[in-house]
Structures are given as structure tokens and as C-alpha cells.
């Protein structure tokens, strides 16, 4: 069976990651969105196995010790990570997996899985990004300033990715995303294509 593609999607807050994935799913691109492991307590309305895999601190530390994370980090005393088993089970079943993670985690994944398709999404300019952050109306000016500063730091790391998507019009952005996936499937390094090449010998 042909394996699915591992797609790592990163971008600043306000870049449009969630909107992009909703649009490509609407167009029929079937993928599993990776569910992170966390040790924090579930919030109202969150469900284990849908929003997160909720674990105790001891369970998460054991996972880290047993190399069960593709990447993990500790934030304000809580552990967050990407389950290697979740990702590999889906890939081996032929389903593509999208990891929507920050640049730090993404580069760790790339080290372990160099065939991952690395995609970075940004608005057309910083003014648009700032407008999107302020337009939410859910954060203080200080919080927005922090997010904006972090966004610029993340964008600087886009050079480590394979593709850069400019999210000006979401329809065009989704079309480009799907074209990237179609091109990636044709690479000679993919298992299916290696097998085909071998069959001609």
C-alpha cells in the first residue's frame, strides 16, 4: 500500500493555517490532522482524542523517555508533543497527515522525517498580518504586540521550509497547496515511484 504524505504546515498567528486546511478539505483533499498530546487539563467542550490526547505528566514523560514523540516541548510547565504512533499509523494506512505546528517543532520533525513536506504560510505583508491580529478583537494591545513580534521571528525561519504560500486570496492559496501535494507525489524518492522504477529493470 502506498504511504500517505507527512505535511508540516507552519505560519504566524493570523497567517490563515486553519482557513487554508478547511478550504483544501472542502475541495476533497483527504488528510488526518495530527492531534497533539498535552498534559494540561481539558477545557470546557474539549474531548480526548479529538482536540488533544490528554495525558498525565508521568505518562507524557514516559512517552518522551520511550521516544514516542516526533517532537515535544514544555510550555509553562505542561508538555505538548506529536505522537509518533498516531502519525505513522495514518501514513502506513495510506492517509496523508498534516502537522499544524510552530517552527521549533517543525524543524525537529524534519530532522527525524526528512521526506516531510514543509510548507510555510504567510499573509501578503506585515500590514495585513497586523490587521488580522487586531481584527479579532479578543486580545489586548500588549498581547497583540507580543504575537506580532513572535510572528516576525517565525517568518524569519521560513527559509528552512520547502515551500512558501502567500495567503492573499484563500482560493489561490488552496490551489497552490494542492498543486504542491500533487508534485510531491511524483518525486522519485517516494516509495511508490521507487518501486515503479525498479520494475523497469
Amino acid at each position: 500500500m502506498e504511504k500517505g504524505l507527512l505535511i508540516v504546515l507552519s505560519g504566524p498567528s493570523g497567517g490563515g493555517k486553519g482557513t487554508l486546511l478547511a478550504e483544501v478539505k472542502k475541495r476533497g483533499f483527504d488528510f488526518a490532522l495530527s492531534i497533539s498530546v498535552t498534559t494540561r487539563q481539558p477545557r470546557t467542550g474539549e474531548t480526548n482524542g479529538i482536540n488533544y490526547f490528554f495525558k498525565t505528566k508521568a505518562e507524557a514523560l514516559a512517552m518522551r523517555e520511550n521516544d514516542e514523540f516526533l517532537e515535544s516541548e514544555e510550555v509553562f510547565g505542561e508538555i505538548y508533543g506529536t505522537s509518533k504512533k498516531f502519525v505513522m499509523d495514518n501514513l502506513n494506512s495510506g492517509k496523508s497527515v498534516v502537522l499544524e505546528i510552530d517552527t521549533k517543532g517543525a524543524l525537529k520533525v524534519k530532522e527525524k522525517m526528512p521526506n516531510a513536506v514543509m510548507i510555510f504560510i504567510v499573509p501578503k505583508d506585515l500590514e495585513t498580518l497586523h490587521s488580522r491580529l487586531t481584527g479579532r478583537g479578543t486580545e489586548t494591545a500588549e498581547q497583540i504586540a507580543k504575537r506580532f513580534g513572535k510572528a516576525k521571528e517565525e517568518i524569519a525561519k521560513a527559509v528552512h521550509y520547502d515551500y512558501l504560500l502567500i495567503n492573499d486570496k484563500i482560493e489561490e492559496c488552496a490551489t497552490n497547496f494542492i498543486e504542491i501535494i500533487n508534485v510531491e507525489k511524483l518525486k522519485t524518492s517516494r516509495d511508490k515511484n521507487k518501486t515503479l522504477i525498479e520494475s523497469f529493470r
Side-chain angles (χ1 to χ4, degrees):
M1 179 184 290
E2 181 185 357
K3 285 187 177 182
L5 294 179
L6 177 58
I7 303 153
V8 177
L9 179 65
S10 301
S13 179
K17 298 183 291 295
T19 305
L20 169 64
L21 294 178
E23 179 66 22
V24 298
K25 195 147 201 171
K26 188 171 73 175
R27 296 191 189 189
F29 175 56
D30 188 31
F31 64 89
L33 184 61
S34 180
I35 303 170
S36 296
V37 171
T38 183
T39 58
R40 74 161 173 77
Q41 290 298 306
R43 294 175 183 146
T44 302
E46 289 183 332
T47 304
N48 186 52
I50 295 179
N51 304 100
Y52 286 94
F53 292 117
F54 293 101
K55 302 288 185 181
T56 65
K57 193 74 171 281
E59 288 172 332
L61 288 172
M63 289 180 71
R64 182 185 285 176
E65 182 69 23
N66 295 328
D67 194 30
E68 294 178 37
F69 287 126
L70 277 179
E71 58 82 30
S72 68
E73 61 180 311
E74 194 161 329
V75 181
F76 300 120
E78 303 292 353
I79 295 173
Y80 293 82
T82 300
S83 166
K84 187 183 296 184
K85 183 179 188 306
F86 177 90
V87 171
M88 296 311 300
D89 284 352
N90 277 282
L91 293 180
N92 290 332
S93 72
K95 194 161 194 173
S96 292
V97 177
V98 175
L99 303 185
E100 187 185 329
I101 54 178
D102 64 15
T103 52
K104 186 177 180 181
L107 295 177
K108 288 179 182 177
V109 171
K110 185 68 173 179
E111 285 180 11
K112 291 187 176 181
M113 303 190 71
N115 272 343
V117 183
M118 305 284 286
I119 302 175
F120 198 93
I121 180 172
V122 290
K124 64 177 180 179
D125 51 43
L126 286 175
E127 289 75 20
T128 300
L129 177 61
H130 193 268
S131 177
R132 288 180 186 175
L133 290 175
T134 55
R136 293 173 174 177
T138 57
E139 297 174 307
T140 65
E142 184 180 356
Q143 289 172 324
I144 290 170
K146 284 182 179 178
R147 281 191 180 273
F148 193 62
K150 183 179 179 182
K152 291 196 286 187
E153 291 176 6
E154 289 179 327
I155 292 169
K157 295 178 182 177
V159 293
H160 300 293
Y161 287 66
D162 302 313
Y163 301 96
L164 181 68
L165 286 180
I166 310 299
N167 183 14
D168 184 13
K169 296 179 180 178
I170 195 62
E171 296 81 7
E172 291 180 8
C173 190
T175 296
N176 289 334
F177 180 95
I178 292 169
E179 287 178 350
I180 287 169
I181 302 309
N182 289 335
V183 166
E184 282 290 330
K185 289 179 178 179
L186 297 177
K187 282 190 171 180
T188 55
S189 58
R190 301 296 171 193
D191 290 342
K192 181 187 72 171
N193 297 331
K194 284 181 181 178
T195 302
L196 177 62
I197 292 168
E198 287 295 325
S199 72
F200 282 96
R201 291 184 177 178

